[in-house]
Amino acid sequence: MASLINGISGDFVSIEDRGLAYGDGLFETIAIVNGRAQLLDLHLQRLQQSCLRLAINVDMAALNLDINNILQSAQPEACEVLKIIVTRQSGQRGYGYVAGGANRLLQLSATSVDYKSLQQQGVRLRFCDTQLAINPLLAGMKHLCRLENVLARAEWHDQSIYEGLMLDTQGCVTEGVMSNIFIVKDGMLITPHLDRCGVAGVMREYILSQLAPKLQLAASVDRVLPEHIHNADELFICNSLIGIVPVTTVAAFNKKIGATTRLLQRALHDELYV
Amino acid sequence: MASLINGISGDFVSIEDRGLAYGDGLFETIAIVNGRAQLLDLHLQRLQQSCLRLAINVDMAALNLDINNILQSAQPEACEVLKIIVTRQSGQRGYGYVAGGANRLLQLSATSVDYKSLQQQGVRLRFCDTQLAINPLLAGMKHLCRLENVLARAEWHDQSIYEGLMLDTQGCVTEGVMSNIFIVKDGMLITPHLDRCGVAGVMREYILSQLAPKLQLAASVDRVLPEHIHNADELFICNSLIGIVPVTTVAAFNKKIGATTRLLQRALHDELYV
């Protein structure tokens, strides 16, 4: 494991960091394959856009340098996940802040999860009781305020269940605790709107903007209800680390791993080798 | 300034701390007067109850010891605000956690704000555009996920405005960015319900459960709309540091500093010397 704090090797941040004090920051979780950061442009694009929304002035050139440095310094085999946290630095006590720079925290680590076997065999899902609060002002961003996801993930201990689906407080299916969800219905892809809450994942974006068009699959973003999940022909979840993973069971419903999911998996593999 | 991390003098936390990673923790801000922590029992009660709700296992005996130690080690004059952060320690990457202890982060600092003059002269308020998302699961707690408060506080730079009122996403007045609000109407106290969002402040609790009964003032918790603010006879805000502060202007409406607010201020001063 290697870590960089603002370009300097280190593991510790000030207890006055606003990321800790108020969740005043953002993060990215990036897959590293053969020493290369996958979908890096999309990750940095999302980070930059969210920084704009929150008025966090991160030095993107310095961040790019950090990323190069940490990847070069590490052993390729210990180098599978890069986590980047950007915070609005340290500050006086109080919610107000003076315009300034941002802290860049990078951490490179290995993972013990066998993504290949998840992708091959599929996973089981449940519905979570913990709901996502609706606030368009924060929707879509991968900000540091993630207590809802923590509480949702704490709902189950059955290790045969890989992921939980979260509804928003109006009953719409929004996302998995740590992934996005896609429905395949009549050959079309449908994934939930993330304009009221949820994290707009980079893999979701890559599927919508690049993989689906390339494969001439119609894809739409819509309000999704639990019945749409139950009636789906195929279901899959995705994120930057797991890639595209088929869903074989959701609550009491069994799903077949279908041709569209397999087609997308092959296309993703051809493009990214994940 | 003095800081203790799990009882040991220090200013830094691991970048893997879940408080930083996910806002997975709580905080308290406590007024220190003549070396004594004000309303400490209420602060520790709220902290413990919120830890129960989040299943964070904080060692309250160790925390009490930390508080004694940091107060004894400091110069009384540099000793006006004690901030306590409790987090669900460090963890593996990912929202899931293994049951364990908690990190205790204490920080003692001075303040440059002249609370006495605020209490005497009153303050101006505005309405914020940033709304509070509704999630009963998180409501009332002083957890670390406070991006909404950060964004609300960033809305204004006019230093003559001290505080902003926040509505929830259904249009109900909920709280100030860093305080709670009370209305006085026909001699009665009314403060917003905090069962859907907002922070249940310790000073608000002290007023509701102790000061108001002692003064034989009727007090109720209710849904509050902007028109109730406009039609109030008196308005005041409160928190642990500022005590009870009258509101002289809210948006375009001027308010008189009334007898009920002054009565409460005197009673608070007699009880706590704040």
Side-chain angles (χ1 to χ4, degrees):
Chain A
M1 214 195 66
S3 315
L4 285 183
I5 312 280
N6 295 329
I8 296 166
S9 184
D11 293 306
F12 288 87
V13 295
S14 163
I15 62 167
E16 292 187 323
D17 190 285
R18 292 178 60 97
L20 171 66
Y22 305 126
D24 194 4
L26 299 154
F27 69 112
E28 294 288 333
T29 309
I30 304 173
I32 310 295
V33 179
N34 299 327
R36 284 184 49 198
Q38 300 289 300
L39 300 178
L40 183 60
D41 288 353
L42 286 180
H43 281 287
L44 294 179
Q45 218 171 78
R46 176 176 65 176
L47 182 64
Q48 198 166 16
Q49 283 166 356
S50 299
C51 279
L52 270 175
R53 286 173 66 183
L54 296 179
I56 294 177
N57 301 313
V58 62
D59 181 338
M60 292 301 289
L63 180 60
N64 267 299
L65 206 61
D66 292 347
I67 294 170
N68 283 335
N69 288 342
I70 201 168
L71 289 179
Q72 279 172 16
S73 71
Q75 304 289 334
E77 66 270 21
C79 175
E80 296 166 273
V81 182
L82 174 62
K83 180 166 178 175
I84 300 172
I85 299 178
V86 166
T87 73
R88 202 192 308 272
Q89 293 193 328
S90 295
Q92 302 289 313
R93 205 178 33 71
Y95 295 119
Y97 61 86
V98 179
N103 283 333
R104 310 180 309 274
L105 321 175
L106 282 76
Q107 196 180 15
L108 199 59
S109 56
T111 172
S112 57
V113 183
D114 179 3
Y115 298 128
K116 290 261 178 290
S117 118
L118 297 178
Q119 289 159 6
Q120 192 53 42
Q121 292 162 31
V123 294
R124 295 177 60 201
L125 262 55
R126 70 192 296 281
F127 281 97
C128 292
D129 295 324
T130 305
Q131 296 179 323
L132 292 161
I134 290 174
N135 196 342
L137 205 61
L138 300 179
M141 293 190 284
K142 202 169 170 82
H143 55 66
L144 295 172
C145 297
R146 302 256 77 98
L147 254 180
E148 291 166 338
N149 303 67
V150 170
L151 295 179
R153 183 59 192 83
E155 285 182 28
W156 79 95
H157 300 281
D158 177 351
Q159 292 193 1
S160 74
I161 294 174
Y162 183 71
E163 175 63 311
L165 287 180
M166 298 185 73
L167 313 191
D168 66 26
T169 52
Q170 293 186 10
C172 292
V173 177
T174 305
E175 62 183 2
V177 174
M178 48 101 186
S179 66
N180 291 115
I181 177 92
F182 277 82
I183 291 171
V184 183
K185 183 72 180 170
D186 303 325
M188 264 194 61
L189 301 182
I190 304 154
T191 193
H193 267 306
L194 300 176
D195 55 341
R196 304 193 302 195
C197 53
V199 176
V202 157
M203 186 58 73
R204 169 184 180 274
E205 176 59 26
Y206 184 69
I207 293 168
L208 287 175
S209 68
Q210 301 191 42
L211 277 192
K214 188 167 183 169
L215 298 170
Q216 296 183 296
L217 289 169
S220 70
V221 175
D222 210 344
R223 298 273 171 242
V224 171
L225 299 172
E227 66 209 58
H228 297 129
I229 299 290
H230 300 148
N231 296 331
D233 298 330
E234 307 173 31
L235 286 172
F236 63 86
I237 57 172
C238 65
N239 72 28
S240 295
L241 299 185
I242 64 176
I244 292 172
V245 169
V247 175
T248 56
T249 313
V250 53
F253 293 78
N254 292 321
K255 298 286 171 188
K256 278 203 225 164
I257 301 179
T260 305
T261 303
R262 290 301 191 204
L263 182 67
L264 283 160
Q265 284 186 309
R266 276 195 302 275
L268 182 65
H269 184 268
D270 290 347
E271 296 287 327
L272 294 186
Y273 315 102
V274 297
Chain B
M1 215 194 67
S3 314
L4 285 184
I5 312 281
N6 295 328
I8 296 165
S9 184
D11 293 306
F12 288 88
V13 295
S14 163
I15 62 167
E16 293 186 322
D17 189 286
R18 292 177 61 97
L20 172 65
Y22 305 127
D24 194 4
L26 299 154
F27 68 113
E28 294 289 333
T29 307
I30 304 173
I32 309 294
V33 178
N34 299 328
R36 284 184 48 198
Q38 302 288 301
L39 300 178
L40 183 60
D41 288 353
L42 286 180
H43 281 287
L44 295 179
Q45 218 172 78
R46 176 175 67 176
L47 182 64
Q48 198 166 17
Q49 283 166 358
S50 298
C51 279
L52 270 175
R53 286 173 66 182
L54 296 179
I56 293 178
N57 301 312
V58 63
D59 182 339
M60 292 301 290
L63 180 59
N64 268 299
L65 206 61
D66 292 348
I67 294 170
N68 284 335
N69 287 342
I70 201 168
L71 289 181
Q72 280 172 16
S73 72
Q75 304 289 335
E77 67 270 20
C79 175
E80 296 166 272
V81 183
L82 173 62
K83 180 166 177 174
I84 300 173
I85 298 178
V86 167
T87 74
R88 201 191 309 274
Q89 292 193 328
S90 295
Q92 302 288 312
R93 205 179 34 71
Y95 296 118
Y97 61 86
V98 180
N103 284 333
R104 310 180 309 277
L105 322 174
L106 282 75
Q107 197 181 13
L108 198 59
S109 56
T111 171
S112 57
V113 183
D114 178 3
Y115 297 128
K116 289 261 177 292
S117 118
L118 296 179
Q119 290 159 6
Q120 191 53 41
Q121 294 162 29
V123 294
R124 295 178 60 201
L125 262 56
R126 70 191 296 282
F127 281 97
C128 292
D129 295 325
T130 304
Q131 296 178 324
L132 293 162
I134 290 175
N135 196 342
L137 205 61
L138 300 180
M141 293 190 284
K142 202 169 170 82
H143 55 67
L144 295 172
C145 296
R146 303 255 76 100
L147 254 180
E148 291 166 338
N149 303 67
V150 170
L151 295 179
R153 184 58 192 85
E155 285 182 28
W156 80 95
H157 299 282
D158 177 351
Q159 291 192 2
S160 74
I161 295 174
Y162 184 70
E163 174 64 310
L165 287 180
M166 298 185 74
L167 312 191
D168 66 26
T169 53
Q170 292 185 10
C172 292
V173 177
T174 304
E175 62 184 2
V177 174
M178 47 100 187
S179 66
N180 291 115
I181 178 94
F182 278 83
I183 291 171
V184 183
K185 183 71 182 171
D186 302 326
M188 265 194 61
L189 301 182
I190 304 154
T191 191
H193 267 306
L194 301 175
D195 55 342
R196 306 192 302 195
C197 54
V199 176
V202 156
M203 186 56 73
R204 169 184 180 272
E205 176 59 26
Y206 184 70
I207 292 168
L208 287 175
S209 67
Q210 300 191 44
L211 276 193
K214 188 166 182 168
L215 298 170
Q216 295 183 297
L217 288 170
S220 70
V221 175
D222 210 344
R223 299 272 172 243
V224 172
L225 298 172
E227 66 209 60
H228 296 129
I229 299 291
H230 300 148
N231 296 331
D233 297 331
E234 305 174 29
L235 286 173
F236 63 86
I237 57 172
C238 66
N239 73 27
S240 294
L241 298 185
I242 64 176
I244 293 173
V245 169
V247 175
T248 55
T249 313
V250 53
F253 293 77
N254 292 320
K255 298 285 170 189
K256 276 201 225 165
I257 301 179
T260 305
T261 302
R262 289 303 190 201
L263 182 68
L264 282 159
Q265 285 186 309
R266 275 194 303 274
L268 181 65
H269 184 268
D270 291 346
E271 296 288 327
L272 294 185
Y273 314 102
V274 299

